[in-house]
Amino acid sequence: MTPHTNESSFQAEVIKGGRFEFGKNWRSFLDSLTDERIAIAECSLQDALGLSRSDLIGKTFLDIGAGSGLFSLAARRMGARVCSFDYDPASVACTLDLRSKYFPDESEWTIREGSALDEVFLESLGTFDVVYAYGVLHHTGDMWSALSNVTQLVESGGLLYLAIYNDQGLRSKLWRRIKQMYCSGPIGRTVVTSVFIPYLFLRVCASSVLRRQNRFGEYKKQRGMSIIHDWRDWLGGLPYEVASSGDIIDFFTGRGFQVMSLKTVKGLGNNQFTFVKEC
């Protein structure tokens, strides 16, 4: 049986620890956005979906939790008809700014504010050839309900791409405590960042020396993202839930999806899934 946690417990957790300002973090990221990062994001999207650039032309693409708007932009540049939404108004503003800059007066890219937990809102969106939710649904406060809701958004024969935090048992519980401290207020945020930012920085430096490779530069090449902004997202990202890859696979195969590709992590981080919805 797939684990399902009572929604009220997560609402209590959010109240206890606050909520991370995801949109504020992505607003800062846009200051460092370059054409190179956009091109890398486009390649990352192709690899994640197992599609060529031309395969997205004319396809409908839903970006759940658009964040900075980078991957909505990537999909639109590749010819998809895009719908983006986010719960955080600041993230919605980021996405609107990208559309204004790169696709002014655009009719093939709609942007809305909404929640993956709001079934009425989701029903108003319709269905899509591609539904993309990278590192989003574990931040809703009720991940399993959000996962269930998105199954209705995928067109028959369409693709669903997810990245969900890997369940590490005790380690995951300890990180939830750290995130709660970060989101508790200025003092908690200062304590967490003063401890973990130097730790993460030195860890990457050590890895760069041992591997004789600039790990900071390599990080950008993965998805076009910024390591500093992703560190902030990780340290403060509350609400926070996790799941094993097996639980996610069982959940979706039991709802009419087949696994197309799977990329797992051994420790902390995101397991990544591409599913196809059976006709």
Side-chain angles (χ1 to χ4, degrees), residues 166-178:
N166 187 38
D167 188 353
Q168 285 288 286
L170 180 60
R171 291 183 71 194
S172 296
K173 292 177 181 178
L174 291 173
W175 273 108
R176 181 178 289 113
R177 294 295 187 187
I178 292 168

Side-chain angles (χ1 to χ4, degrees), residues 41-185:
E42 292 176 13
C43 291
S44 169
L45 189 57
Q46 292 176 66
D47 291 343
L49 300 175
L51 300 176
S52 68
R53 187 181 185 91
S54 60
D55 288 334
L56 274 179
I57 296 175
K59 299 292 186 182
T60 53
F61 181 98
L62 177 64
D63 189 2
I64 299 176
S68 68
L70 174 58
F71 285 87
S72 292
L73 174 63
R76 184 68 194 102
R77 281 166 56 106
M78 294 163 64
R81 291 181 287 138
V82 177
C83 176
S84 316
F85 78 84
D86 203 292
Y87 176 81
D88 190 320
S91 288
V92 174
C94 288
T95 308
L96 286 168
D97 283 351
L98 283 188
R99 186 182 67 178
S100 177
K101 180 176 180 179
Y102 292 95
F103 288 92
D105 303 316
E106 176 62 70
S107 62
E108 297 295 315
W109 182 359
T110 61
I111 300 167
R112 300 179 65 180
E113 182 179 331
S115 168
L117 299 178
D118 186 340
E119 295 181 41
V120 174
F121 167 73
L122 296 179
E123 186 177 357
S124 73
L125 299 178
T127 57
F128 297 81
D129 298 312
V130 179
V131 175
Y132 181 87
Y134 189 101
V136 172
L137 301 180
H138 50 228
H139 290 312
T140 58
D142 188 359
M143 180 179 70
W144 293 105
S145 291
L147 290 169
S148 179
N149 289 345
V150 302
T151 62
Q152 308 304 316
L153 299 171
V154 187
E155 186 68 61
S156 294
L159 298 180
L160 171 63
Y161 177 84
L162 300 168
I164 300 292
Y165 280 141
N166 187 38
D167 188 353
Q168 285 288 286
L170 180 60
R171 291 183 71 194
S172 296
K173 292 177 181 178
L174 291 173
W175 273 108
R176 181 178 289 113
R177 294 295 187 187
I178 292 168
K179 293 169 188 289
Q180 288 173 338
M181 179 181 291
Y182 182 102
C183 293
S184 64

